Amino acid sequence: MKQILQNLRSGETKVEEVPAPGLGRNSVLIQTRASLISAGTERMLVEFGKASLLAKAKAQPDKVKQVLDKIKTDGLMPTLDAVFNRLGEPLPLGYCNAGVVLEVGAGVSGFKAGDRVISNGPHADIVAVPKTLCAKIPDNVTDEQAAFTVLASIGLQGIRLIKPTFGEKIVVYGMGLIGLVTVQLLRASGCEVFGVDVDAGRLAMAEKYGAVTCNAAAGDPIAAVSAWTEGKGVDGVLITASAKTDEIIHNAAEMCRKQGRIVLVGVIGLNLRRADFYEKELSFQVSCSYGPGRYDDKYEQAGQDYPMGYVRWTEQRNFEAVLLALQSGSLTVDDLITNRFKLDDAPAAYEKVSNDRNVLGVILEYSGQADMSKTITIKQAAAASKDKVAVGVIGAGNFSKMTMVPALSKTNARLAYIADLNGAAATHVAGKYGVEKAVSDYHDILNDPSVDAVFIAVGHNLHAKFICEVLQAGKHAFVEKPLAMNVDELKQILAVITKKPEQHVMLGFNRRFSPHTQKIKQLLSGRGEPLAMNMTVNAGIIPPDHWVHDLVRGGGRIIGEACHFIDLLSYIAGSKVQTVASAQMGQGVAVNEDKMSIVLGFEDGSIGTVNYFGNGSKSYPKEMLEIFSDGRVLRLDNFRKLTGYGFKGFRKFKTSRQDKGHNTEFSAFVDSLSTGGEPLISMNELVNSTLASFAAMTSAAENRTIVVANEYDLS
């Protein structure tokens, strides 16, 4: 199928062939009939993409600070690699879609194949959208009219926040698409409306919809509003403009009566003047997109609707309200359509949007004959690669595209597949790293007998499921940590392994393979007593609503990431974890589980502490390890520098860049499959480290020391 993608680094907009998206739980698969280009939001994205690197940096000073902090801790080259990888990712454009339902996923009710629906899906022949971001189109509303729904909901949410009452006087500042829609919806609510812009044509349209107007390029909008209200001031100002100036917010404050309301829907300069707000006791609020539910994964992805009795207007209910307004005629959009382009001509459409300020609504037209194929061939397999280990990758998310696939591309493997429900993401990674096929259905990988191993980089809650399916398909499995999120999942994996003993399971414990770790093992090889180890992890702050904190989806950061460091200490000691005693931060923080000290006792008498702290500064190194043994000390700084104290003939080992062992790990795994032999890490070790992470959570919750062997029954 075809989809519009933009390269953020170059600003180039293309219509690309990508696999049709896969259908996940709580989602709806839709064939697009029409979509609307948002002349405001999408113009900004295109212009940002076309800007120079310096201009991009100036536009995002907070991101520049993050880059500088990362350079301090990780080094210049890894940071530049990360930045350019991010900028090179394709950005799907569009969020105003109208089409016909092809199929619904598990957990979806209220929609069926054949329904006409709107969604916030991108500009693409086929889109897969969560059910809470869809709404049915009434029979007398055309596809083109319906395509305005999501954009109109942005204006409607601004109106919800300004809380207009019948007869109030409201200024709408900015007569773009959202502004003109907002004028109509306010008029339908019984409000008097005053429109401000610098474009005479748009102001004429606002007057047609019943607004009084002022051209800010020719007159004084503050004086005009004062005359309109007989000096009283307006009840509220809705700012729908997009401009860098701070004058708009100042003008809005000047226009308001005492205790007036200002709601920002657009993007403007926000250097507020205290006097403007202090003297009139004005309220100011920024509107968030389409309404309640936006950016809430539980609402959007998991499909958990908010009860109407407590949240009357959600994103979806705002969509439905706009569609009813279109059905009744209280909102009309036909006059807002200024241009129509075929999907194939999208680059010309974006040129028009960028260069012609007279453009308002640009409709993209679709052929209705979309390619439903879920496989795209990027390159043909070379004859010389037929004897290589063939691998597939499931997941094209951050870890996959930033670390896993780049590392695999440097091995001797044949990269046969990459799969992701987002076909565009899979296609991008495949094209960049020479993967033969991009697919949106991972079963293509499992069903191909030529594939030897599958690399799994999906959500933590799916790890056990995919490991079992990969093994049952007769293939080796490499999974990024964690192995499992609970004992039941671990039992499921072990049951399948019992039936498939010839298949290897490898967990992404990459730090074992770092040259720094290997140097530590060498230096401690002749030790005469147990080790005392202290691992400090400055894990960084992750917001409390992030999926990793969700015990169902992510399992928490200890099980999801701290297992890395438990395994590292176990590997250095050469001994399994025997006891676990941990303590987490008490009340007073939003998340306490990711601020934990874990004391490990090993079978050989060694002890180790993992201090995993998610409340530090990004400018401080992330990982620090100290090892005390036989009157000597080793200190590892962020996998860049290893320093020895008291060692004869050794003082320092340093690598030119941070090296956590990823490249060596992937290469070693591929080589082990080529040559045969035992797994790189035994299943006993993987299970022990996994159980120790479970024990850390239990110990902190129940305030007791866990003896791992006595706590868990895996039979």
Side-chain angles (χ1 to χ4, degrees), residues 298-376:
K298 290 183 179 179
Y299 175 88
E300 293 189 336
Q301 303 302 324
Q304 296 180 14
D305 198 2
Y306 301 153
M308 184 180 288
Y310 296 93
V311 184
R312 178 62 183 91
W313 296 109
T314 60
E315 294 177 281
Q316 188 176 58
R317 294 195 270 272
N318 274 342
F319 294 165
E320 292 167 347
V322 170
L323 287 164
L324 287 175
L326 288 167
Q327 182 184 34
S328 68
S330 57
L331 173 62
T332 61
V333 295
D334 290 344
D335 291 346
L336 300 179
I337 300 173
T338 57
N339 303 87
R340 293 177 177 85
F341 288 85
K342 301 293 184 185
L343 179 64
D344 286 337
D345 298 327
Y350 281 95
E351 282 298 315
K352 185 77 172 174
V353 167
S354 295
N355 299 318
D356 187 347
R357 293 291 167 171
N358 293 319
V359 167
L360 277 171
V362 178
I363 292 290
L364 293 176
E365 300 173 329
Y366 294 75
S367 67
Q369 298 177 345
D371 181 0
M372 293 293 295
S373 172
K374 294 188 176 182
T375 301
I376 293 288

Side-chain angles (χ1 to χ4, degrees), residues 166-484:
F166 190 89
E168 283 195 316
K169 293 192 172 186
I170 307 293
V171 171
V172 179
Y173 213 122
M175 294 291 103
L177 275 179
I178 295 177
L180 290 167
V181 166
T182 302
V183 167
Q184 295 184 66
L185 294 176
L186 282 167
R187 291 287 294 155
S189 301
C191 294
E192 299 295 315
V193 183
F194 193 102
V196 180
D197 204 280
V198 295
D199 185 285
R202 296 182 182 186
L203 290 170
M205 294 192 75
E207 290 173 5
K208 177 182 174 182
Y209 297 140
V212 177
T213 66
C214 174
N215 191 324
D220 181 355
I222 298 174
V225 167
S226 179
W228 183 56
T229 61
E230 298 178 340
K232 300 182 181 69
V234 295
D235 299 287
V237 180
L238 258 169
I239 302 173
T240 56
S242 175
K244 296 179 180 179
T245 177
D246 302 318
E247 281 304 301
I248 291 177
I249 190 67
H250 170 66
N251 290 349
E254 289 286 299
M255 292 172 179
C256 282
R257 64 168 169 81
K258 192 175 181 65
Q259 293 194 345
R261 295 101 64 194
I262 301 172
V263 170
L264 175 61
V265 174
V267 181
I268 61 169
L270 283 179
N271 288 313
L272 305 181
R273 305 180 192 180
R274 181 177 181 274
D276 288 346
F277 290 83
Y278 172 77
E279 293 172 4
K280 293 182 179 179
E281 294 184 321
L282 301 180
S283 65
F284 172 62
Q285 188 168 3
V286 179
S287 179
C288 179
S289 198
Y290 333 129
R294 191 64 178 134
Y295 308 117
D296 179 353
D297 280 351
K298 290 183 179 179
Y299 175 88
E300 293 189 336
Q301 303 302 324
Q304 296 180 14
D305 198 2
Y306 301 153
M308 184 180 288
Y310 296 93
V311 184
R312 178 62 183 91
W313 296 109
T314 60
E315 294 177 281
Q316 188 176 58
R317 294 195 270 272
N318 274 342
F319 294 165
E320 292 167 347
V322 170
L323 287 164
L324 287 175
L326 288 167
Q327 182 184 34
S328 68
S330 57
L331 173 62
T332 61
V333 295
D334 290 344
D335 291 346
L336 300 179
I337 300 173
T338 57
N339 303 87
R340 293 177 177 85
F341 288 85
K342 301 293 184 185
L343 179 64
D344 286 337
D345 298 327
Y350 281 95
E351 282 298 315
K352 185 77 172 174
V353 167
S354 295
N355 299 318
D356 187 347
R357 293 291 167 171
N358 293 319
V359 167
L360 277 171
V362 178
I363 292 290
L364 293 176
E365 300 173 329
Y366 294 75
S367 67
Q369 298 177 345
D371 181 0
M372 293 293 295
S373 172
K374 294 188 176 182
T375 301
I376 293 288
T377 299
I378 306 299
K379 57 175 281 190
Q380 296 297 326
S385 69
K386 297 296 185 181
D387 295 329
K388 293 183 177 181
V389 172
V391 304
V393 177
I394 301 177
N398 284 336
F399 181 78
S400 184
K401 64 192 174 188
M402 301 289 284
T403 304
M404 180 179 281
V405 180
L408 281 172
S409 69
K410 299 172 185 176
T411 71
N412 196 37
R414 172 187 154 219
L415 276 62
Y417 292 92
I418 182 165
D420 198 279
L421 289 175
N422 181 344
T427 302
H428 169 68
V429 177
K432 185 171 183 178
Y433 295 106
V435 183
E436 293 167 12
K437 293 181 180 180
V439 300
S440 56
D441 186 348
Y442 72 92
H443 291 97
D444 289 358
I445 301 175
L446 302 187
N447 294 334
D448 187 338
S450 73
V451 173
D452 301 296
V454 179
F455 290 75
I456 301 166
V458 296
H460 295 175
N461 59 316
L462 297 175
H463 284 191
K465 163 186 163 63
F466 279 108
I467 291 170
C468 292
E469 289 190 37
V470 167
L471 296 178
Q472 288 164 345
K475 306 180 190 308
H476 305 289
F478 183 112
V479 63
E480 180 51 23
K481 45 77 188 162
L483 182 65

Side-chain angles (χ1 to χ4, degrees), residues 651-667:
R651 292 187 60 189
K652 188 179 296 184
F653 173 75
K654 189 175 183 180
T655 50
S656 59
R657 57 191 296 166
Q658 186 182 58
D659 191 341
K660 294 183 181 180
H662 287 108
N663 289 341
T664 303
E665 174 194 35
F666 289 113
S667 181

